[in-house]
Amino acid sequence: MTTSTNITWHEGEISRQERSQLLKQTGLTIWFTGLSASGKSTVASALEQHLLHKGINAYRLDGDNIRFGLNKNLGFSPDDRTENIRRIAEVSKLFADSSAIAITSFISPYRADRDSARQLYADAGIPFVEVFADVPVSVAEERDPKGLYKKARAGEIKEFTGISAPYEAPESPEIHIRTDQKTIAEAVQQITAYLEDNKYI
């Protein structure tokens, strides 16, 4: 992959702070991570709906959906997984910079990749809220709504996270949810309470 040269960042006429004041909203990203079938997308969808009904501009970026377009040229090798997360970190930061709440739902199995995403936000001064949708592999495998674990066990899917590829759990996420022990509504309430406590909404 080549690197762009002879380019210059073009500042706009409005600062992030001014945009936030005009829109009466703080931009940030809520980054869901967890195994396939951990409930990431389900809780993320419910959270998006909840925030929108509260009059808060929120938009969900889902791992599978992104691979239909922006990341359709990426597979599931370690390098492709890293590039997948790099791209979505940049895209979600644009949403957050616009004062929207970006809600990302990606397995994002490597701690280093999530740390890189977090650092991108830290450098930009934009809040980054990591949500660990935590379930044991056995529970995720029992759920298996897409039949992926069954295929992975049969050797039909290579490099499947939790079976034949690693998942590195977050060490200190802002929010830790055992999705096998909480309802969807309870999970959304836990996240909402965190956002309110930290004056993000």
Side-chain angles (χ1 to χ4, degrees):
M1 185 178 296
T2 58
T3 302
S4 298
T5 58
N6 301 315
I7 58 175
T8 303
W9 183 266
H10 188 178
E11 290 289 350
E13 298 300 324
I14 186 168
S15 68
R16 184 185 308 124
Q17 182 179 10
E18 185 179 0
R19 187 190 306 275
S20 180
Q21 291 172 344
L22 289 169
L23 296 176
K24 297 179 175 59
Q25 183 171 319
T26 298
L28 68 142
T29 284
I30 302 171
W31 188 285
F32 282 83
T33 178
L35 295 168
S36 179
S38 65
K40 299 182 305 299
S41 294
T42 302
V43 177
S45 294
L47 176 64
E48 178 188 36
Q49 182 182 42
H50 177 69
L51 292 175
L52 287 168
H53 279 277
K54 288 172 67 70
I56 298 168
N57 182 20
Y59 192 83
R60 181 177 56 90
L61 300 164
D62 181 81
D64 279 358
N65 295 354
I66 291 295
R67 284 181 176 273
F68 278 96
L70 177 66
N71 292 347
K72 67 181 179 181
N73 64 322
L74 298 177
F76 292 92
S77 69
D79 285 349
D80 279 3
R81 287 176 185 268
T82 292
E83 176 61 14
N84 184 51
I85 297 309
R86 187 196 69 79
R87 291 183 192 179
I88 201 59
E90 292 283 0
V91 170
S92 59
K93 184 169 75 74
L94 293 175
F95 277 81
D97 185 59
S98 77
S99 296
I101 293 182
I103 304 171
T104 72
S105 178
F106 289 74
I107 294 174
S108 42
Y110 303 132
R111 195 173 294 122
D113 293 343
R114 297 193 304 270
D115 287 347
S116 293
R118 182 183 291 275
Q119 188 60 51
L120 180 71
Y121 279 78
D123 291 344
I126 299 175
F128 179 93
V129 178
E130 186 175 45
V131 179
F132 179 24
D134 183 14
V135 293
V137 174
S138 59
V139 173
E141 192 166 358
E142 184 179 332
R143 291 174 175 174
D144 202 14
K146 303 173 186 176
L148 299 178
Y149 283 93
K150 184 177 180 180
K151 290 181 179 179
R153 290 292 187 189
E156 297 175 24
I157 300 178
K158 307 299 181 184
E159 300 180 294
F160 187 78
T161 303
I163 302 298
S164 52
Y167 177 77
E168 299 168 0
E171 295 178 333
S172 54
E174 281 73 16
I175 302 171
H176 186 170
I177 303 173
R178 277 294 300 265
T179 59
D180 58 330
Q181 298 175 0
K182 289 195 172 186
T183 65
I184 296 170
E186 288 170 341
V188 168
Q189 180 52 44
Q190 181 179 343
I191 299 167
T192 302
Y194 177 90
L195 298 176
E196 291 173 344
D197 289 346
N198 286 274
K199 311 300 183 187
Y200 291 144
I201 60 173

